[in-house]
Amino acid sequence: EGLLDMPFFYGRFLLKGLLSSIGASYNQGGRNLLRETQGRFDPLRLLDCEDYRQLYDTARQMLLYLCAFLHEGESDTRNYMIERIQQYIRQHLDRDISSEELAGIAHMNPSYFGRYFKKYTGEFLSEYILRLRIERAIELLREGRHKVNDISRMVGFSNSKYFYFQFKKSTGYTTTEYCRYLLHQEDSCPDCRTAGED
């Protein structure tokens, strides 16, 4: 409505600038919005408009098309972002990983990021990280080359007692029981009996 209070020429100029900014923002990643939309999103089309009604209809049509176009590619973008975050988590399991840090990688608001992650993975972020840590701990236990206290640090637990608690909660077994009864490799688990978890 504010546009209607301006001379038409000036209003058309501002609206063209706004839509051009949208295109420029999209093109920053080396893409070309004009080409990908086959010319349907072209701010220069506004220069052909001769009054506000025509300007409104043309801009509205372009924006509706842009929304539909972006929505089509949305799932691919989301999948890529989720995969990127998951890969980052797997590569940094040995240290504390905050949701703020991951939100920054995804270029998202931290308060929205957790909901986004849950929606597209089916798991809360904290559950996902814990599951990966326990899975990695199991792999290391199977290798039989590390002490349990070392394994707890290697998978991102600064408190070994908390690691023992989460391991039993997740698997139903203590690390000692896991080595002794499930792996049948008591001798290959270097301090299972002296880890202080029982």
Side-chain angles (χ1 to χ4, degrees):
E1 291 182 2
L3 281 175
L4 299 179
D5 297 330
M6 302 177 186
F8 173 73
F9 175 80
Y10 189 59
R12 183 175 63 183
F13 174 76
L14 283 180
L15 193 54
K16 177 190 168 291
L18 175 64
L19 297 187
S20 294
S21 294
I22 292 172
S25 178
Y26 181 87
N27 294 342
Q28 281 181 350
R31 304 182 73 173
N32 186 314
L33 186 59
L34 179 64
R35 185 175 62 244
E36 290 180 29
T37 61
Q38 299 175 341
R40 292 181 186 173
F41 188 87
D42 182 2
L44 292 177
R45 288 175 54 199
L46 299 178
L47 298 179
D48 295 331
C49 300
E50 298 177 356
D51 58 38
Y52 271 119
R53 179 81 254 166
Q54 194 178 8
L55 186 67
Y56 171 82
D57 289 342
T58 303
R60 182 175 183 277
Q61 183 184 32
M62 286 170 59
L63 288 171
L64 286 174
Y65 179 79
L66 178 63
C67 289
F69 168 77
L70 294 176
H71 183 67
E72 284 176 8
E74 197 173 355
S75 61
D76 289 342
T77 302
R78 286 174 176 162
N79 289 340
Y80 167 76
M81 186 56 66
I82 288 295
E83 287 171 8
R84 184 176 171 200
I85 293 297
Q86 289 174 323
Q87 181 182 19
Y88 183 87
I89 292 170
R90 285 192 297 271
Q91 291 172 344
H92 297 87
L93 280 178
D94 60 335
R95 64 172 182 76
D96 185 46
I97 306 170
S98 69
S99 59
E100 289 78 13
E101 177 184 1
L102 297 175
I105 293 168
H107 306 292
M108 290 184 190
N109 182 306
S111 61
Y112 172 70
F113 176 74
R115 295 194 303 274
Y116 172 89
F117 190 87
K118 171 73 164 67
K119 181 176 180 181
Y120 293 100
T121 66
E123 289 181 282
F124 289 107
L125 179 61
S126 57
E127 292 174 345
Y128 177 78
I129 293 173
L130 176 62
R131 179 171 63 79
L132 288 191
R133 286 185 165 147
I134 297 301
E135 287 174 0
R136 179 63 181 141
I138 288 171
E139 289 174 8
L140 293 169
L141 282 172
R142 286 182 182 276
E143 289 175 9
R145 292 186 291 122
H146 306 282
K147 293 187 174 184
V148 178
N149 284 339
D150 293 336
I151 289 174
S152 71
R153 285 190 296 276
M154 292 166 72
V155 297
F157 287 90
S158 56
N159 184 322
S160 57
K161 288 187 178 179
Y162 184 63
F163 166 71
Y164 297 135
F165 169 77
Q166 288 295 349
F167 189 92
K168 182 161 188 180
K169 183 179 175 185
S170 299
T171 66
Y173 300 92
T174 65
T175 55
T176 302
E177 291 168 337
Y178 192 87
C179 291
R180 191 175 293 158
Y181 304 120
L182 298 185
L183 298 181
H184 307 292
Q185 298 173 354
E186 183 177 340
D187 294 334
S188 71
C189 195
D191 76 335
C192 270
R193 289 166 292 181
T194 59
E197 61 176 312
D198 296 321

